Amino acid sequence: MLAEVTERALALTRARHLLLVGGVACNHRLQEMLQTMCRARGAELCPVDDRYCIDNGAMIAQAGCEMLRVGQVTELSQSGITQRYRTDEVEVTWRD
């Protein structure tokens, strides 16, 4: 799923480099899949050193701030954790 969404993003942006960061960058199978996809598209995969591949709470907090800024609030009783969903199915309401 991540490789598919990333390939779409590369195609739309015509990017020549793909920077892989965060906790997901520790997944060597994902790195292999993205490397194969990048080679096929003529792009370069640039994974960050494993020492720096950690989940970033600051990114999550920033997303929460953006949601709050536009008035998107989820009651605690309605919130939860979903570990398996497609990133392209997330409704982004805080951007134009």
Side-chain angles (χ1 to χ4, degrees), residues 15-17 36-44:
R16 308 309 311 155
H17 296 87
T36 300
M37 182 269 298
C38 282
R39 282 189 186 128
R41 297 198 65 77
E44 180 182 357

Side-chain angles (χ1 to χ4, degrees), residues 27-93:
N27 185 320
H28 293 285
R29 176 64 183 127
L30 178 61
Q31 286 185 24
E32 291 172 9
M33 292 169 60
L34 292 175
Q35 183 67 269
T36 300
M37 182 269 298
C38 282
R39 282 189 186 128
R41 297 198 65 77
E44 180 182 357
L45 177 64
C46 305
V48 172
D49 187 288
D50 280 356
R51 294 174 294 170
Y52 307 110
C53 293
I54 56 175
D55 288 326
N56 191 338
M59 290 188 297
I60 296 167
Q62 181 64 38
C65 286
E66 294 298 325
M67 292 168 73
L68 182 61
R69 179 180 60 82
V70 297
Q72 184 178 347
V73 178
T74 302
E75 295 296 326
L76 186 57
S77 63
Q78 299 297 312
S79 66
I81 298 170
T82 303
Q83 291 183 328
R84 297 184 187 271
Y85 62 86
R86 293 184 56 95
T87 55
D88 59 346
E89 292 179 352
V90 176
E91 183 179 5
V92 177
T93 59

